[in-house]
Each structure stands twice: as C-alpha cells, then as structure tokens.
Amino acid sequence: MENLAASRLDFIRGGAKPPFKFKTGVSYRLGAPGGAVGSLFSLDYNSPEDGPGYLAAGVESVLYGALALRAGYSSFGEISNGVSFGLGFGLPVRGGREIRLDYSYGASYDFGNVHKFGFSCKFGAAGAALPPEAIQPAATPAPS
C-alpha cells in the first residue's frame, strides 16, 4: 500500500493529498545467487484510487556480480512512454563493501525523456551476522 497515511502536500498556490495506491507483484530469479550470470523477472499490478489499474514488468540480468542490465515496461500511458532501460556497475571494496554506479532512461508525460544517475555505497557483506555485543547491551555492574 502506498500513501496509506499521506498528508496534504502544498506547493506555492496549490496542493493535494497523494492518491492511495495498492500494489501487488511477483518475481522469479533464474540462476544461482552469486553465480556468473543471473536474471530476475518481475511483474507488478498497480491499482491507484484516482485512475485505472496498470501493469509493470521488468527484467534485470547480472553478469559476474558486477554489471547489471535492466529493461522494463509500464502500461501506465502510451506504449512509447512505458519503456525504460538501465545499467549498473558494482565495484567491490574490501570488507564486503561495494560502490555502485547506476544509470536509467525512461520517458514521462510531464518531463519528456528522463535520464537518471545514481551513486550508492554498501557497507558490510550481505547477510553478515552482527557480533553478539552489537545485539545485546553490555552488562552493567551490580551496585555494591
């Protein structure tokens, strides 16, 4: 559920409350996680309160855990505006950290063709266990 408890957003002279939207979806991973090549397929159904429902689909293929190729389609609007694609490159750093650069291209009704660039950092290995002292507070000495 999106915008379930949203409040009114105001901008200069106007404003509105963002519409409530219900989303549901499925995905399927092809290939072993951490393998040389793997793909993720996804399909979502979006049902906004202020308009007709629409489908969105996408695929992401990851090569050697570093290069990600992405493509997607949304039936929200005209066919030419529903296609998007992108790519990403991850550079592993010591200690399970990763620096990632991402790019995507898509079109929107209001802004025309949109190019997006992203830079992100991941700290620590995925699924790494925390040391016990990080989970449990240190014992305080009993008063004497």
Side-chain angles (χ1 to χ4, degrees):
M1 289 185 243
E2 187 174 292
N3 299 326
L4 180 62
S7 60
R8 182 179 168 85
L9 300 173
D10 290 315
F11 182 72
I12 303 176
R13 294 187 186 111
K17 181 179 175 187
F20 171 74
K21 185 186 293 183
F22 179 77
K23 296 179 175 184
T24 186
V26 295
S27 66
Y28 179 75
R29 181 174 302 279
L30 192 62
V37 177
S39 295
L40 178 67
F41 299 89
S42 65
L43 179 67
D44 295 334
Y45 179 73
N46 299 273
S47 178
E49 71 177 341
D50 64 344
Y54 61 95
L55 289 172
V59 61
E60 175 187 64
S61 292
V62 179
L63 308 170
Y64 299 101
L67 180 65
L69 304 172
R70 304 176 185 110
Y73 175 77
S74 171
S75 66
F76 182 75
E78 300 171 9
I79 291 177
S80 63
N81 286 343
V83 177
S84 62
F85 65 88
L87 57 95
F89 181 74
L91 178 65
V93 185
R94 291 183 355 179
R97 295 174 293 174
E98 179 184 42
I99 296 173
R100 180 155 212 89
L101 297 171
D102 290 291
Y103 166 78
S104 70
Y105 166 83
S108 74
Y109 295 112
D110 297 330
F111 301 112
N113 297 333
V114 178
H115 300 269
K116 298 177 189 175
F117 295 91
F119 174 78
S120 59
C121 295
K122 180 177 85 173
F123 300 97
L130 292 174
E133 59 271 8
I135 299 170
Q136 299 172 349
T140 52
S144 14

